[in-house]
Amino acid sequence: PKAPPVAHYNLNNVTITSDPLGNRENILLLTPMARFYQQYWDNLLKLSYPHELITLGFILPKTKEGNAATTELQKQIAKTQKSGPEKDRFKSIIILRQDFDPPLQSQDEAERHKIQNQKVRRAAMAKARNSLLFTTLGPATSWVLWLDADVIETPPDLIQDLAAHNKPVIAPNCFQRFYNTEKKAMDERPYDFNNWQDSPTAVELAKKMGPDDILLEGYADMATYRALMAYMHKADGLRQETVPLDGVGGAALLVKADVHRDGAMFPPFSFYHLIETEGFAKMAKRLGWQPFGLPNYKVYHYNE
Ligand code: GDP
Ligand code: MN
């Protein structure tokens, strides 16, 4: 009997450039999903990057809430991939279900942001991201776009716009729309505080910590004095302005696939006193890949 054919991939032929569209580069769009939001899916469909070059990957928890989200997601997938217009159809779609041990409690925004819940939550999220990444990253992947399931509004040219900067890791600024009762009008506020530049205070705090302790951002009782990208936004600022970052969030994040191939993942443990996406930024840096952020390029998070 003949031996099965061997698939050869020359990674040097998989380009990762500032013109992914011109070079027909494959994008892997990864979303950990606890809840399904229709606006998230509608926004995906509006992405102007050729859908035939985009593979979608999802990981959902095996909880009641996760089951409901999976059902909703599959409904939309069937609609888009089978009966919808050809141009909307994605190259392929992968759905993973994950058991957590112990199972993660479903939590509302206030509950999951409590400091004592953060380490366990962030560790579980890191493992979910790693499982999703390591089962879906392929030899032809050029870029990985991390996009949370509650990021419901982005510019349609998101992929092209982020890739144009040709940075190993790049994060737009994640805001949230809300009704401002004082102004009696819709307004917006910064949401993601995980995109930051380090501070001497944070470095000193970390030095005094135990090996398993982690620094968290956005908590009054742990003042780090880091420079948060959330607050670097300027109304009249250039959308192309970039700033170097030491920590990143995962709400929306474009990563050159080579950064992940080199081994940069989401540490589910204290790595330089950082965890998950912030630990990922540190690991990328240690591998020689400097993360950047776009303070004036906004995407929007759902308002619970
Ligand atoms: P926050 O916005 O920083 O408060 O974090 P979220 O709770 O929104 O979580 C970030 C992303 O992970 C979102 O896309 C969630 O839908 C998703 N997510 C949250 N919890 C879980 C979980 O237990 N398992 C998986 N697979 N995804 C989750
Ligand atoms: Mn969120």
Side-chain angles (χ1 to χ4, degrees), residues 104-134:
L104 252 195
Q105 295 301 310
S106 163
Q107 292 164 334
D108 62 20
E109 190 174 310
E111 194 59 29
R112 39 173 222 272
H113 289 175
K114 277 186 190 158
I115 206 160
Q116 65 271 27
N117 289 333
Q118 276 287 305
K119 196 172 164 185
V120 174
R121 270 207 69 81
R122 298 287 304 271
M125 282 308 307
K127 287 186 185 172
R129 290 188 194 279
N130 289 334
S131 298
L132 181 56
L133 174 64
F134 290 123

Side-chain angles (χ1 to χ4, degrees), residues 131-194:
S131 298
L132 181 56
L133 174 64
F134 290 123
T135 44
T136 57
L137 186 71
T141 311
S142 291
W143 299 89
V144 178
L145 176 65
W146 291 93
L147 193 65
D148 276 356
D150 45 19
V151 171
I152 51 168
E153 189 187 330
T154 71
D157 296 339
L158 180 72
I159 293 169
Q160 299 91 311
D161 289 346
L162 297 184
H165 292 276
N166 202 17
K167 300 293 190 198
V169 177
I170 194 158
N173 216 350
C174 184
F175 273 56
Q176 182 178 53
R177 297 191 191 279
F178 72 106
Y179 184 76
N180 188 325
T181 47
E182 275 162 39
K183 291 187 191 165
K184 293 206 168 53
M186 284 309 288
D187 201 351
E188 53 181 58
R189 60 191 168 206
Y191 182 84
D192 193 344
F193 299 116
N194 292 337

